Amino acid sequence: MRSRKKKGLILLLAFAMIFSLLSMYPTRDHNRGIVQASEDFEAVSGTADSRSYEHYISTHSNADEPEQIIRIEAESFIQAADGNFEIIDGYAGLDGKAVITPESGTISWEAPVQASGLYHVRIHYYPVAGKSSAIERKLELNGEVPFRGADVLLFDRVWGNREDTVRRDDRGNDLRPRQVETPAWQLASFKDSAGYFEEPYQFYFEKGNQKLSLTSLRESMAIDYIELYQEESIPTYAELQATYETSGLKPADSVLLKVQGEHAVNKSSPTLAPISDRSSPSLEPYDVSKIRVNAIGGLNWKLPGEWIEWEIDVPEDGLYQIALKVKQDQLRGVYATRNLMIDGKVPFKEMERIRFNYSPDWQTRILGTSESEPYLFPLKKGTHHLRMTVTLGDIAPLLRTVESSVLELNEMYRKILMITSNKPDPLRDYQLEQRIPEMTEVFKRQADILHSVADYLEKATGEQSDKVAVLHAMVVQLEDMAARPETVPKRLDTFKINVGGLGTWILSVREQPIALDYLLVSSPNHELPDAEANLLQQMKHEVGAYVASYTEDYDSIGNIEQNKDSITVWITTGRDQAQVLKGLIDDSFTPETDISVQLRLVPPNILLPATLAGEGPDVAMQMGEDIPVNYAMRNAAADLSDFPDFEEVAERFRESGMTPYRFNNGVYALPEQQHFPMLFYRKDILSELGLEPPKTWQDVYNAISVLQKHNMEFYLPIEDATNNANMIPNATFAMLLYQNDGKFYSKDQKASELDSETSMDAFKRWTQFYTNYKFPLKADFPNRFRTGEMPIGIADYTTYNMLTVMAPEIRNLWDFTIVPGTELEDGSVRHEVASATSAVMMLENAQNKEAAWMFMKWWTDKQTQIEYGREMEGLMGAAARYPTANIEALEQLPWPVKDYQNLEKQWEWVQGIPQVPGGYFTGRHLDNAFRKVVNANENPREALSDYVLYINDEIELKRKEFNLK
């Protein structure tokens, strides 16, 4: 009976926590609600993160909220360190002085607080031209970061369309408007960058002079002043409506104003460029076969805090209704939420959280309690700004709850792993419920919490969906494991998969996309246009699209007109990349050189047959590292070193980037991208284990013993053997080889040098990680890094982009740095790694080699690479950050300063792997020798020696085949 009462109490507390967090319209004392939420969370989940914002607010729950505004002028700073801080009068039209804060360094002020209490903080700033990313700052009060979240504060830039009208190519297709920065002075509150808290942060200040410091993490900004203040309360619609009659406001008469979504005047991010949607002929504008820019948002407008703003000219004072033609076809079982501001203010409480439920079709959504009862907005004659911002709304407390669950379940998974290992003995009883006494209680509590979240979603949306199914699957497993703890070791794999599914659930639900065709501001009850096309329009659309599939050339990108200096360029990646590249060509290359470019999107494997048939391009882009030299052997690639300014162009890259393209005293390509390994580590787990990121391989061996004692693993990269044909040499082996002055090939590149003593020693050490230390031969490092099974590992630096976007639950808990090195006798440490590159090459049969060379120079130029990188990141987000090979361009891409400095340190140690005739055997047989040792217990020296013979035979054969001396 007691256990039933206890379970009932836990369930009651779980529901109380969820529904207290999910109050639809919070009161003025919203942040105080966090105190209650925090207490409920501690009661239900048993976890209290001392660095969380909830905990911070709960510790100051009895503090006052003084109604005074304390302004700190920026130029009155008391300290500035580690950066060039400059005071400028009248900056960017400001009436007064501002401080320019660079992208590194710390600046501090004294805040004269007259009354102790909780204050909001806001800043009047101007985004200084930089790398086009959001501005990041860390806040410290009296030398300490008050809570997690204050260590990364984001401040938006302002973006707009470069042209007022949409341009078209010579085939009649609209070109996506380029986004340019339109900076302006802005007033922004210090808020949660993840969007988990709608209201601005509150900070506790004691009476007296308090030190407030901002540390630059990314980008420069000009600061006018900082204010401590209290947020104004927002009235409900009922309260506002009661004032209409006394104010003499009446509904407007016969007004219908339409603003196309793509005509937005300002946006918070370049990703919010207008889009082309062909899902319905009802969209404006529309064409059956041509590309038309006719909407905005969609999958690009999804992250909390992103906003789009439109201008509307109102003809007369009055009350208006607002309607939106929208489509939310991505979140089934959840809903997207937006916040509406008019002229910088939320008009009433209900506009803080506007829900958009799932629908596969376009809909006209009238803002109101129902279509027959629209909200009426008081608008005066003149121009008004309507801003819609992505907000998590009622979903935010759910996400916070599930994220806490994921962290606790991952922690429990690691505790179990320390006892059972990741391959438990199926015949052994580990007695986990006795060795981890809190295990079953954690499972029961988290099952109740996740069940409550699932119930809320089902009630809120009125349907079951895949979003809820993930939660239910986790609940079923947790309840069963709590009831039968002896089965836990056998179910570790599915438990890990389900917890990983919760992490993915957070990511998918946090994204709130909607597409918008147009906004309508009209007099109440005015007839509005239909959102969807009628049957006749749909039939015409389908027939026209079918005919166009035979008449339109979808492979050519952009303009296709040619002149005497025309060149043909092939690109093998996606259409998005091709469109961005074509936009850059039309904007700068063709106007500057008068050379037209025929850009074609082709499959990667078509170049060889096309070249043999004499139908190849002049320039091929994004080619694999092995292709240029292979073509050069066959006299099919042009030698770029023949051009008089080649050496000047080559200085744009590190020698490691050029190495794979040098052959027989010629150079046959220029590197576009260059990536290399770095060391990733979980700061939280290493701290728990008392470990530091290893600086040498001896440190790695020391760390392995600690990790394996806790049944955790160190990750080393290993190539997938299924792609044996074009396998590149293993990154770990290359590290060990290069750090000890080893080489892959002899100086004349006529034989392999993998039979040297240095190589044999490196190969033996590499295989010992898998024979002696039992490293896994295959592992999903990003996911195991998320769960903490592999809290440290070496991976390509582009993994950074993936983790930033795909693992929100561990943000700020991980970092990356240079790889472990080999310590020399004098105490110095070498950190060499090998890089992988992709290239742009010119074909030998190019009709106009001068024009093709001009294109290659333009494409690899610093400014073009910067613009391309920023455009791609603007279009596809941070996961698409471009790993350019241009030294100066990488520095200008939007990396946080600390992370770029780590990249720069490693890049100085990068070496390239030469390409030689028959060199494709090197990676292939290195892997074969490795697997002989690991799988068949063969002696490392004998295994590698045997395969070096095959490598040398192939090199000799290829040199004879192509008459190479």
Side-chain angles (χ1 to χ4, degrees):
M1 181 66 73
R2 280 183 181 176
S3 64
R4 284 186 181 178
K5 284 184 178 178
K6 186 177 179 184
K7 187 173 182 181
L9 179 61
I10 289 172
L11 276 168
L12 187 62
L13 286 169
F15 281 107
M17 185 271 293
I18 293 294
F19 287 107
S20 69
L21 289 172
L22 295 171
S23 55
M24 176 68 84
Y25 304 115
T27 63
R28 165 70 182 89
D29 207 12
H30 175 75
N31 278 333
R32 289 195 183 277
I34 294 172
V35 177
Q36 183 61 43
S38 177
E39 291 171 357
D40 289 338
F41 178 75
E42 290 180 35
V44 179
S45 69
T47 60
D49 184 350
S50 61
R51 293 199 62 240
S52 69
Y53 180 54
E54 295 101 319
H55 184 268
Y56 177 81
I57 286 294
S58 69
T59 59
H60 300 292
S61 57
N62 297 320
D64 293 330
E65 295 183 0
E67 288 294 337
Q68 63 187 111
I69 294 177
I70 302 169
R71 177 175 290 200
I72 308 164
E73 296 294 343
E75 65 270 20
S76 66
F77 62 89
I78 57 172
Q79 188 179 354
D82 304 324
N84 183 24
F85 295 85
E86 186 179 2
I87 298 175
I88 296 181
D89 196 4
Y91 185 79
L94 180 72
D95 183 15
K97 294 179 180 179
V99 175
I100 310 298
T101 62
E103 65 174 3
S104 62
T106 302
I107 184 170
S108 304
W109 298 267
E110 273 191 353
V113 180
Q114 297 171 9
S116 299
L118 288 168
Y119 294 84
H120 296 100
V121 180
R122 62 190 175 196
I123 185 170
H124 192 225
Y125 75 96
Y126 186 92
V128 177
K131 300 175 183 177
S132 302
S133 62
I135 299 160
E136 291 183 8
R137 293 294 184 269
K138 176 174 73 174
L139 173 70
E140 291 175 300
L141 300 180
N142 297 319
E144 292 185 357
V145 177
F147 49 82
R148 189 179 60 250
D151 51 357
V152 182
L153 299 170
L154 294 184
F155 302 99
D156 293 326
R157 295 180 176 276
V158 183
W159 298 83
N161 296 343
R162 190 178 64 178
E163 296 93 9
D164 293 333
T165 57
V166 176
R167 296 187 302 140
R168 289 183 179 171
D169 62 25
D170 61 1
R171 293 186 296 156
N173 292 315
D174 285 359
L175 299 173
R176 184 176 66 90
R178 294 279 301 280
Q179 299 302 290
V180 293
E181 199 171 346
T182 55
W185 283 99
Q186 299 175 73
L187 187 62
S189 300
F190 290 6
K191 299 181 73 170
D192 176 28
S193 61
Y196 286 175
F197 300 97
E198 284 183 295
E199 297 291 318
Y201 285 140
Q202 284 187 304
F203 301 89
Y204 181 76
F205 287 86
E206 289 278 4
K207 182 179 180 181
N209 287 332
Q210 306 299 315
K211 186 179 179 182
L212 183 153
S213 304
L214 288 178
T215 300
S216 301
L217 303 178
R218 176 154 58 176
E219 299 283 34
S220 301
M221 70 190 299
I223 303 175
D224 177 20
Y225 61 80
I226 294 174
E227 281 185 342
L228 280 56
Y229 75 107
Q230 300 298 337
E231 281 283 305
E232 293 181 9
S233 60
I234 302 172
T236 63
Y237 180 66
E239 291 170 344
L240 186 67
Q241 192 179 28
T243 66
Y244 289 169
E245 191 171 340
T246 57
S247 303
L249 289 168
K250 295 181 180 179
D253 186 33
S254 299
V255 176
L256 177 62
L257 305 172
K258 181 186 287 187
V259 180
Q260 296 294 336
E262 62 270 21
H263 294 161
V265 291
N266 291 315
K267 306 116 182 174
S268 61
S269 166
T271 59
L272 302 176
I275 60 173
S276 173
D277 189 303
R278 302 184 64 188
S279 61
S280 169
S282 69
L283 286 158
E284 300 177 4
Y286 159 79
D287 190 280
V288 70
S289 63
K290 303 299 182 184
I291 295 172
R292 291 289 175 263
V293 171
N294 53 12
I296 199 164
L299 290 172
N300 296 335
W301 191 24
K302 61 186 178 184
L303 297 179
E306 291 182 336
W307 52 263
I308 303 176
E309 187 172 273
W310 297 267
E311 268 186 8
I312 189 155
D313 289 319
V314 175
E316 61 184 60
D317 293 359
L319 298 173
Y320 294 83
Q321 70 177 16
I322 297 177
L324 313 165
K325 182 179 174 182
V326 296
K327 181 172 68 172
Q328 196 279 91
D329 60 347
Q330 300 295 321
L331 294 175
R332 186 162 198 159
V334 198
Y335 44 82
T337 311
R338 292 294 184 272
N339 163 302
L340 176 69
M341 298 175 75
I342 299 177
D343 298 329
K345 291 186 177 181
V346 177
F348 45 87
K349 207 74 176 172
E350 287 79 355
M351 290 298 98
E352 284 191 311
R353 300 175 180 179
I354 308 169
R355 284 190 186 179
F356 296 91
N357 291 323
Y358 174 84
S359 172
D361 302 319
W362 287 92
Q363 296 182 327
T364 299
R365 168 73 187 279
I366 301 174
L367 302 182
T369 53
S370 67
E371 287 197 13
S372 59
E373 294 183 34
Y375 294 133
L376 299 181
F377 297 81
L379 298 175
K380 293 186 176 181
K381 180 180 179 180
T383 301
H384 295 273
H385 288 82
L386 277 64
R387 176 181 293 191
M388 294 188 73
T389 306
V390 182
T391 177
L392 295 174
D394 303 331
I395 298 291
L398 295 181
L399 289 172
R400 293 201 302 271
T401 303
V402 175
E403 189 168 293
S404 297
S405 296
V406 169
L407 289 172
E408 187 175 18
L409 291 173
N410 269 333
E411 185 181 356
M412 182 54 61
Y413 173 73
R414 292 198 297 273
K415 286 181 180 179
I416 297 169
L417 202 67
M418 289 177 190
I419 296 170
T420 67
S421 84
N422 59 359
K423 292 181 180 176
D425 184 344
L427 302 178
R428 180 178 171 185
D429 182 3
Y430 289 92
Q431 298 181 324
L432 291 175
E433 66 272 29
Q434 296 175 25
R435 299 171 75 176
I436 311 176
E438 72 275 17
M439 182 184 75
T440 54
E441 183 59 34
V442 168
F443 288 163
K444 288 176 186 176
R445 183 174 64 249
Q446 292 300 341
D448 292 338
I449 290 171
L450 295 174
H451 195 278
S452 302
V453 173
D455 279 353
Y456 172 79
L457 282 176
E458 287 179 353
K459 289 174 184 176
T461 61
E463 63 176 345
Q464 293 184 335
S465 70
D466 60 322
K467 298 294 187 293
V468 181
V470 173
L471 301 173
H472 282 312
M474 189 80 251
V475 169
V476 169
Q477 185 176 38
L478 288 173
E479 288 177 341
D480 197 40
M481 289 197 304
R484 298 189 296 148
E486 71 278 3
T487 67
V488 170
K490 300 174 186 175
R491 306 164 74 176
L492 267 187
D493 278 346
T494 54
F495 177 54
K496 181 181 75 172
I497 291 168
N498 284 337
V499 174
L502 281 184
T504 305
W505 182 91
I506 293 170
L507 184 68
S508 62
V509 173
R510 184 173 174 262
E511 295 178 346
Q512 305 262 302
I514 65 169
L516 189 144
D517 184 12
Y518 53 70
L519 301 88
L520 297 167
V521 177
S522 66
S523 46
N525 303 318
H526 196 290
E527 186 178 351
L528 302 179
D530 292 333
E532 271 299 335
N534 57 39
L535 182 61
L536 181 61
Q537 288 174 311
Q538 285 283 9
M539 289 175 62
K540 285 176 64 179
H541 171 72
E542 295 297 335
V543 172
Y546 175 75
V547 172
S549 68
Y550 289 95
T551 59
E552 288 288 323
D553 178 8
Y554 292 110
D555 290 333
S556 294
I557 306 295
N559 295 317
I560 58 174
E561 66 180 16
Q562 300 185 34
N563 58 28
K564 62 185 177 79
D565 286 330
S566 174
I567 60 171
T568 302
V569 177
W570 283 7
I571 184 171
T572 59
T573 48
R575 180 165 288 272
D576 285 333
Q577 288 89 336
Q579 293 282 14
V580 169
L581 176 59
K582 186 59 181 175
L584 293 173
I585 290 169
D586 292 342
D587 282 343
S588 60
F589 178 69
T590 299
E592 290 170 9
T593 62
D594 201 28
I595 299 170
S596 66
V597 177
Q598 247 194 314
L599 186 66
R600 292 185 68 84
L601 186 61
V602 299
N605 58 354
I606 201 174
L607 182 64
L608 182 60
T611 303
L612 290 172
E615 298 293 331
D618 299 304
V619 175
M621 301 179 66
Q622 288 146 359
M623 294 290 105
E625 197 171 71
D626 59 321
I627 290 177
V629 166
N630 269 315
Y631 276 58
M633 288 186 299
R634 295 165 171 83
N635 297 317
D639 184 0
L640 305 180
S641 62
D642 290 341
F643 291 99
D645 55 350
F646 167 77
E647 291 299 333
E648 181 185 337
V649 173
E651 289 177 3
R652 299 171 179 175
F653 319 101
R654 295 190 186 269
E655 180 54 35
S656 55
M658 299 295 295
T659 298
Y661 310 117
R662 295 189 183 276
F663 174 68
N664 268 8
N665 300 317
V667 180
Y668 295 91
L670 295 177
E672 295 176 311
Q673 301 180 31
Q674 184 176 19
H675 31 99
F676 44 84
M678 292 194 70
L679 180 77
F680 290 80
Y681 61 95
R682 285 281 298 270
K683 295 186 288 187
D684 55 337
I685 298 176
L686 261 59
S687 177
E688 288 173 18
L689 300 177
L691 292 174
E692 292 286 333
K695 293 182 172 59
T696 67
W697 287 104
Q698 185 56 52
D699 294 341
V700 171
Y701 294 126
N702 297 340
I704 290 169
S705 62
V706 177
L707 291 169
Q708 292 188 341
K709 181 181 176 183
H710 294 85
N711 286 321
M712 295 179 186
E713 294 175 315
F714 191 109
Y715 175 74
L716 289 177
I718 188 163
E719 282 72 30
D720 189 351
T722 56
N723 187 26
N724 197 266
N726 293 315
M727 184 174 285
I728 61 173
N730 179 271
T732 308
F733 173 76
M735 267 184 265
L736 295 168
L737 182 69
Y738 280 148
Q739 287 175 12
N740 290 279
D741 273 334
K743 291 187 172 33
F744 279 94
Y745 304 105
S746 61
K747 193 171 183 180
D748 58 8
Q749 297 192 347
K750 292 181 179 179
S752 173
E753 269 209 14
L754 294 186
D755 54 359
S756 67
E757 278 303 314
T758 302
S759 175
M760 290 294 175
D761 182 58
F763 184 74
K764 181 181 177 181
R765 290 175 63 195
W766 174 39
T767 55
Q768 281 177 342
F769 285 117
Y770 301 88
T771 55
N772 295 1
Y773 296 97
K774 305 302 179 187
F775 277 27
L777 286 171
K778 195 168 186 178
D780 182 354
F781 176 63
N783 272 324
R784 292 201 185 185
F785 191 73
R786 285 173 74 175
T787 61
E789 289 175 84
M790 285 181 163
I792 186 167
I794 295 172
D796 192 279
Y797 86 75
T798 53
T799 305
Y800 175 99
N801 305 336
M802 186 189 305
L803 291 172
T804 302
V805 176
M806 303 298 289
E809 73 274 17
I810 60 168
R811 65 186 183 279
N812 302 329
L813 298 179
W814 61 274
D815 207 342
F816 76 153
T817 185
I818 61 176
V819 301
T822 299
E823 189 170 8
L824 305 181
E825 293 180 1
D826 63 0
S828 61
V829 181
R830 295 178 58 169
H831 298 275
E832 280 94 343
V833 295
S835 67
T837 59
S838 66
V840 54
M841 61 182 286
M842 185 191 307
L843 280 299
E844 180 61 34
N845 60 2
Q847 298 297 311
N848 189 337
K849 288 186 178 177
E850 283 296 332
W853 175 238
M854 289 184 74
F855 174 81
M856 293 175 70
K857 288 192 296 182
W858 168 84
W859 167 237
T860 57
D861 181 62
K862 167 189 169 183
Q863 195 56 40
T864 307
Q865 289 288 292
I866 291 171
E867 288 186 26
Y868 180 79
R870 289 179 182 174
E871 285 276 324
M872 287 310 305
E873 190 164 344
L875 184 64
M876 303 174 75
R881 185 165 299 153
Y882 185 60
T884 178
N886 186 297
I887 301 168
E888 294 180 346
L890 186 71
E891 184 181 3
Q892 295 301 315
L893 291 179
W895 288 93
V897 175
K898 178 178 69 68
D899 295 334
Y900 172 73
Q901 288 171 348
N902 286 331
L903 271 178
E904 179 68 16
K905 282 180 192 173
Q906 185 63 73
W907 208 1
E908 291 173 0
W909 291 100
V910 170
Q911 290 200 31
I913 299 176
Q915 293 291 325
V916 302
Y920 49 81
F921 259 35
T922 300
R924 187 186 308 181
H925 285 313
L926 188 62
D927 185 72
N928 289 339
F930 168 80
R931 295 185 188 275
K932 267 278 184 77
V933 174
V934 174
N935 297 330
N937 263 343
E938 190 158 325
N939 179 280
R941 178 180 289 270
E942 291 179 6
L944 185 57
S945 296
D946 289 346
Y947 281 107
V948 168
L949 295 176
Y950 291 123
I951 296 170
N952 281 330
D953 286 347
E954 187 67 13
I955 291 174
E956 185 179 353
L957 184 69
K958 284 296 173 188
R959 293 189 73 85
K960 284 181 179 177
E961 181 182 344
F962 294 106
N963 297 317
L964 299 171
K965 296 180 181 179

